[in-house]
Amino acid sequence: MDRRNFLKVTGGIAASLAATGLQAKEKQNDEEFVGVLTDTTRCIGCRACEKACGEAHDLLVPDVENDNALDNLRTPSEKQWTVVNRYETDVGEVFVKQQCMHCWQPACTAACLTNAMLKTKEGPVIWREGKCIGCRYCMASCPFNIPKYEYGSWNPKVQKCNMCYDRLQQGKKPACVEACPTGALMFGSKRELMEIARVRIYNHPEKYVHKIYGEHEVGGTGWLYLSGVPFEQIGFRTDLGTTPYPEYTKEFLYAVPLIFFGAPALLTGLHFLTKKDESSEE
Amino acid sequence: MESYSYINIFETKGLEYILLICFLLLFIYFVRYIFSSKKKADENMK
Amino acid sequence: MAGKNVLEIGTATPFKKGYKMDKKTIFFGEVKRFFKFILQEMKPRGKWLTPFNIISLPIMFIGFILLILRFVKGLGYATNLSQEFPWGFWIGFDVITGVAFAGGAYVITFVVYVMKVEKYHPIVKVTVLNGLLAYMFYAGALVLDLGKPWNIFNPIIGNSFGYNSVLFLVAWHFLLYMATEFLEFSPTIAQWLGWEKLQKILKSLTVGAVIFGITLSILHQSGLGALFLMAKSKIHPLWYSEFIPVFFFVSSIFAGLSMVIFEGTISHRVFKDKIDSKHHAAFDEIIFGLAKGAAITMFVYYFFKALVFIHGGQWSYLTDSWGIWYLFEVIGLVLIPCFMFAYGAKNRNLGIIRTAAILTMIGIILNRLNISIITFNWNIPAVYYPSWIEIVITLMIIFTEIWVFRWVVSRMPVFED
Ligand code: SF4
Ligand code: SF4
């Protein structure tokens, strides 16, 4: 092979390598996780999102006018994937919508032993009935206590928000976002939403606390929140840390193969060591 | 809003080492205490 | 004696050498003999109306009915589980605590088959049997707790492996470990059936099974602790630590040893006639040895706890009632029984050792329940306590296990060499 040919070949390989490298990058870029930004300063507590959610998923459709549900603090339940709560704060009433945070690295999917809980490549975390064995490890692990269980059923489901995964695939927005009359909910990629949230804080520094809940919490979540009062006052846990939850079990799971290689070797060694001792004694 | 402060995660290392040394010393005595039994018992039996 | 009885039945087969039979007849004859033998062994022996039977039979019966109701009506009917407490008594006590107590099997097999300390040989079979049954019943209790148990094949046959899950690992290890325990115990079964050749083959596999079993035990004992690593925001910081897996593993050693002491003491009373006198005399020596082992592991465990405590800088937590509860567990039910074991082993005092074993067992139960139930969700108002149905079904599981244990022990040569 002469020099020129060699160069050609290597050049070709290099070029194709570079191309695949680019491809990989591009792939990552257009698979941005989607999320929703909740601006609690814009929420008026009309609970249209609760209603829309119930209708979209065949769950309980609350009677918003008459049920006085805002009087109590509620959590999402096995009948309602999302609820709105009212908090009395320094700046008056604040309404907060609650649902699954669609963590970037969810505890629930790391917990699930059948991958019934799944982080989809689009971003929403969904639950798949045919796989679930009903062990409720996802419930024990979720830092936000989101997955709920149908204890009353012989064939129980795990219920939690799936960010309207089916609607997203039809190119629609989540039902709650569409139903919101004030624009308190906004759907988009997390990158876009972060930019919008920062702009709002920047333009109205007196109106917002300078923190976006969900930016770093438990490694970042798909659902983001803006608030006018410190987040502790409106029912958020701010002590969860920024470590993604699967990291907590990572070391243990790494250690498993090590022990599996190491322990039998050690034990077999010990076995033969003690054996030799015996025979020499005899 | 978010405050950035330095957290020294090795603050307690000194104490931990002290504990470790205490442990090792106590452990020797503890094991010796336990295994001193055999001889004594044998002597008693004799 | 049961063993001799068995041998007689085993040799009383109708074929002798020299007879020429075609394979089919031999085979069917053997099968027939096998079923006849099993049927005969199924019959109860001894008195029926013992106090234990009178208490346990009704509970087992009610428990069985409740169990059916639980599957028909759902978990909510039978348990006090809630959205805040997804795991209750069945997981916290039956599975997690039960498996910790079954740790004796891997410790004793390690000592006997790997370290070759012959002194403990007499108890190895019964300990393995105990471990096997404990896994079958207590780890099996996991299935009662599943909402969709029929989907359990998903993670087992592999149409949906969640490799990333600690529970996946634990469930698989339970299965594999049950198989290895069965293999370790199988020579005794073969001996009972009078299949000598098979017994020899199975016996030759024991050491391999033991080594595999110890490895599995290390991993799933610690894995049970690792289940709670992701409940960081829910468990009280005095109990949560990234070292929970190590704690669970180390404490399973002395939990298992205490259980062996406790269980051995009882079965030596109950099955007195099955144990020869030589064995009886050796048993006290064995208990002293086990007590030494327990004392040392507990000592190490205690200091390890202290290390994690200091590293976490958790002094401020000690002031409220959680702190007192923590000290009670760690000092009252670890350090004190540790010294009692040491004292008892040195002064050859069986009474103190037995008390220490019971205290240690209470300590283990508390520790496991503290992590899985009592301090779980300590920071929210909701509380959980087991419903009576959960308790009855748990009792049913325990009693059934004891029944099976009794059945096996009074038929198979478990206490003999
Ligand atoms: S909030 Fe909970 S349920 Fe939702 S993705 Fe995160 S861990 Fe899973
Ligand atoms: S309850 Fe279902 S979804 Fe949740 S961890 Fe268990 S198998 Fe997975």
Side-chain angles (χ1 to χ4, degrees):
Chain A
M1 201 196 277
D2 65 311
R3 209 177 117 93
R4 196 181 283 164
N5 253 337
F6 175 73
L7 277 179
K8 246 190 204 163
V9 173
T10 45
I13 292 169
S16 60
L17 273 181
T20 50
L22 272 180
Q23 245 174 16
K25 244 192 189 159
E26 264 170 15
K27 229 182 198 163
Q28 249 176 18
N29 277 347
D30 62 33
E31 299 260 333
E32 253 183 298
F33 283 169
V34 291
V36 175
L37 172 66
T38 307
D39 189 336
T40 57
T41 63
R42 297 188 183 192
C43 179
I44 53 168
C46 70
R47 296 170 61 209
C49 50
E50 279 186 30
K51 241 171 118 172
C53 179
E55 279 158 8
H57 303 289
D58 263 335
L59 297 163
L60 176 89
V61 182
D63 180 3
V64 178
E65 273 84 45
N66 307 316
D67 65 359
N68 294 329
L70 283 176
D71 294 348
N72 304 312
L73 289 183
R74 296 170 296 156
T75 55
S77 69
E78 72 275 26
K79 297 192 189 76
Q80 272 188 296
W81 287 355
T82 183
V83 294
V84 177
N85 280 323
R86 180 175 61 203
Y87 293 89
E88 295 296 336
T89 65
D90 311 338
V91 299
E93 283 180 344
V94 175
F95 299 96
V96 183
K97 177 185 183 298
Q98 250 191 50
Q99 72 297 306
C100 171
M101 298 292 284
H102 298 280
C103 309
W104 275 28
Q105 292 181 56
C108 57
T109 59
C112 185
L113 74 168
T114 60
N115 289 333
M117 281 287 178
L118 180 74
K119 178 82 180 165
T120 57
K121 60 183 194 306
E122 294 87 351
V125 177
I126 62 169
W127 174 80
R128 300 178 292 174
E129 172 151 28
K131 307 226 166 208
C132 176
I133 63 171
C135 65
R136 306 186 296 291
Y137 187 23
C138 49
M139 301 172 68
S141 301
C142 169
F144 302 101
N145 268 329
I146 291 299
K148 295 290 145 85
Y149 199 68
E150 292 177 340
Y151 284 107
S153 159
W154 67 272
N155 184 13
K157 287 186 183 133
V158 176
Q159 298 281 13
K160 80 167 206 44
C161 162
N162 62 5
M163 214 194 268
C164 292
Y165 187 62
D166 301 335
R167 289 172 59 98
L168 294 192
Q169 280 183 322
Q170 296 160 14
K172 291 193 252 178
K173 287 179 184 174
C176 53
V177 177
E178 225 167 65
C180 180
T182 63
L185 300 177
M186 187 178 232
F187 175 77
S189 77
K190 178 163 176 177
R191 188 178 43 81
E192 291 162 2
L193 296 176
M194 285 300 299
E195 281 164 7
I196 291 166
R198 286 228 176 80
V199 167
R200 286 191 195 164
I201 295 176
Y202 186 78
N203 287 339
H204 304 278
E206 69 301 330
K207 190 173 154 197
Y208 292 103
V209 293
H210 291 212
K211 175 186 169 76
I212 303 164
Y213 194 93
E215 182 181 11
H216 300 301
E217 270 68 22
V218 298
T221 62
W223 212 285
L224 303 168
Y225 285 88
L226 279 175
S227 166
V229 290
F231 280 97
E232 301 88 70
Q233 293 183 23
I234 51 173
F236 285 87
R237 279 193 78 162
T238 47
D239 59 347
L240 294 176
T242 54
T243 315
Y245 262 49
E247 296 273 328
Y248 292 121
T249 54
K250 191 184 79 182
E251 275 153 39
F252 175 75
L253 289 173
Y254 274 179
V256 168
L258 290 183
I259 293 180
F260 236 106
F261 295 141
L266 199 76
L267 292 170
T268 319
L270 271 177
H271 174 71
F272 284 110
L273 264 179
T274 46
K275 207 172 203 172
K276 250 190 197 147
D277 274 349
E278 240 174 30
S279 60
S280 63
E281 264 172 35
E282 274 165 17
Chain B
M1 197 58 210
E2 265 159 77
S3 56
Y4 296 98
S5 54
Y6 173 67
I7 300 170
N8 183 3
I9 55 169
F10 297 118
E11 223 164 3
T12 54
K13 264 284 166 275
L15 256 178
E16 284 165 35
Y17 289 149
I18 293 174
L19 181 82
L20 193 76
I21 295 163
C22 292
F23 166 72
L24 285 175
L25 292 178
L26 282 170
F27 191 67
I28 295 170
Y29 275 99
F30 189 68
V31 172
R32 282 181 58 180
Y33 171 80
I34 294 178
F35 285 99
S36 63
S37 68
K38 255 233 164 107
K39 273 180 220 154
K40 227 184 174 180
D42 289 347
E43 279 163 21
N44 283 350
M45 286 222 283
K46 279 169 201 169
Chain C
M1 264 215 214
K4 272 187 192 147
N5 206 349
V6 165
L7 279 182
E8 271 162 29
I9 294 166
T11 48
T13 42
F15 13 94
K16 285 173 200 148
K17 268 177 209 163
Y19 272 114
K20 266 198 181 167
M21 282 198 233
D22 61 298
K23 275 191 181 144
K24 229 176 168 182
T25 347
I26 294 184
F27 179 73
F28 280 115
E30 189 67 13
V31 167
K32 219 170 139 194
R33 184 186 72 83
F34 176 76
F35 279 112
K36 226 170 141 188
F37 175 58
I38 294 283
L39 262 181
Q40 187 185 344
E41 291 285 77
M42 276 297 169
K43 279 187 212 134
R45 290 195 187 157
K47 266 191 284 177
W48 258 98
L49 291 177
T50 57
F52 174 74
N53 287 0
I54 292 172
I55 298 171
S56 65
L57 273 177
I59 292 184
M60 281 159 68
F61 181 69
I62 299 170
F64 185 69
I65 293 176
L66 290 172
L67 197 59
I68 295 175
L69 284 175
R70 170 254 170 276
F71 277 106
V72 175
K73 299 199 173 186
L75 278 165
Y77 168 79
T79 66
N80 274 350
L81 296 175
S82 62
Q83 306 299 353
E84 288 78 27
F85 286 92
W87 285 350
F89 200 60
W90 286 347
I91 297 285
F93 184 76
D94 298 16
V95 178
I96 292 177
T97 315
V99 167
F101 285 137
Y106 81 86
V107 180
I108 300 293
T109 49
F110 171 73
V111 172
V112 173
Y113 291 111
V114 179
M115 301 309 289
K116 313 258 169 32
V117 186
E118 280 302 311
K119 180 175 153 193
Y120 300 101
H121 211 140
I123 60 166
V124 82
K125 273 198 258 177
V126 69
T127 314
V128 168
L129 173 65
N130 255 316
L132 173 63
L133 292 180
Y135 274 89
M136 272 160 59
F137 283 90
Y138 303 136
L142 192 63
V143 178
L144 306 186
D145 203 67
L146 297 180
K148 296 164 174 285
W150 47 90
N151 277 349
I152 199 168
F153 297 105
N154 284 342
I156 292 171
I157 61 173
N159 64 3
S160 206
F161 273 172
Y163 307 104
N164 42 10
S165 168
V166 179
L167 191 59
F168 174 78
L169 183 102
V170 170
W172 260 97
H173 281 194
F174 278 174
L175 278 180
L176 292 176
Y177 190 61
M178 273 190 242
T180 48
E181 291 261 86
F182 186 74
L183 198 60
E184 283 168 33
F185 188 67
S186 59
T188 316
I189 302 179
Q191 191 184 346
W192 169 62
L193 292 171
W195 295 344
E196 274 161 35
K197 251 193 204 144
L198 189 66
Q199 188 195 350
K200 246 179 221 149
I201 299 174
L202 290 172
K203 230 177 185 164
S204 66
L205 296 175
T206 300
V207 172
V210 162
I211 288 176
F212 190 50
I214 296 169
T215 311
L216 289 171
S217 289
I218 296 174
L219 287 172
H220 70 238
Q221 293 286 1
S222 52
L224 281 176
L227 285 180
F228 292 94
L229 286 175
M230 280 201 288
K232 184 170 196 276
S233 56
K234 299 174 189 172
I235 295 173
H236 192 285
L238 280 174
W239 281 272
Y240 183 87
S241 131
E242 57 204 295
F243 293 107
I244 291 185
V246 184
F247 285 150
F248 268 51
F249 168 60
V250 177
S251 57
S252 78
I253 298 176
F254 58 80
L257 291 176
S258 308
M259 188 69 189
V260 172
I261 294 175
F262 177 74
E263 179 275 326
T265 308
I266 291 180
S267 55
H268 268 248
R269 301 237 164 101
V270 179
F271 302 107
K272 220 186 260 156
D273 47 330
K274 295 210 169 45
I275 301 163
D276 42 65
S277 53
K278 205 177 79 195
H279 184 156
H280 260 303
F283 190 63
D284 290 352
E285 266 329 299
I286 290 177
I287 287 195
F288 294 133
L290 296 177
K292 283 177 198 162
I296 289 172
T297 40
M298 288 170 88
F299 194 74
V300 174
Y301 175 78
Y302 176 79
F303 270 89
F304 196 39
K305 275 249 169 191
L307 182 70
V308 168
F309 177 83
I310 289 179
H311 181 79
Q314 293 167 328
W315 302 101
S316 58
Y317 288 115
L318 286 185
T319 46
D320 59 2
S321 49
W322 288 119
I324 296 169
W325 186 235
Y326 174 78
L327 289 180
F328 173 65
E329 180 201 312
V330 172
I331 294 182
L333 297 172
V334 176
L335 196 60
I336 290 180
C338 164
F339 288 147
M340 285 170 72
F341 271 134
Y343 181 85
K346 185 182 156 84
N347 296 303
R348 310 180 64 77
N349 185 332
L350 280 177
I352 287 192
I353 290 180
R354 282 177 194 143
T355 326
I358 291 170
L359 282 182
T360 310
M361 286 166 64
I362 297 173
I364 290 291
I365 294 174
L366 268 192
N367 173 258
R368 299 302 197 258
L369 290 185
N370 273 336
I371 286 173
S372 60
I373 296 173
I374 300 174
T375 79
F376 196 85
N377 279 334
W378 65 290
N379 42 14
I380 62 168
V383 285
Y384 163 89
Y385 46 88
S387 71
W388 68 272
I389 300 185
E390 283 176 273
I391 293 176
V392 170
I393 292 187
T394 300
L395 285 176
M396 177 196 83
I397 295 172
I398 296 174
F399 284 142
T400 321
E401 197 235 332
I402 296 176
W403 271 71
V404 175
F405 179 75
R406 196 174 57 173
W407 186 86
V408 173
V409 162
S410 53
R411 279 158 187 81
M412 299 186 195
V414 174
F415 286 116
E416 292 151 36
D417 279 339

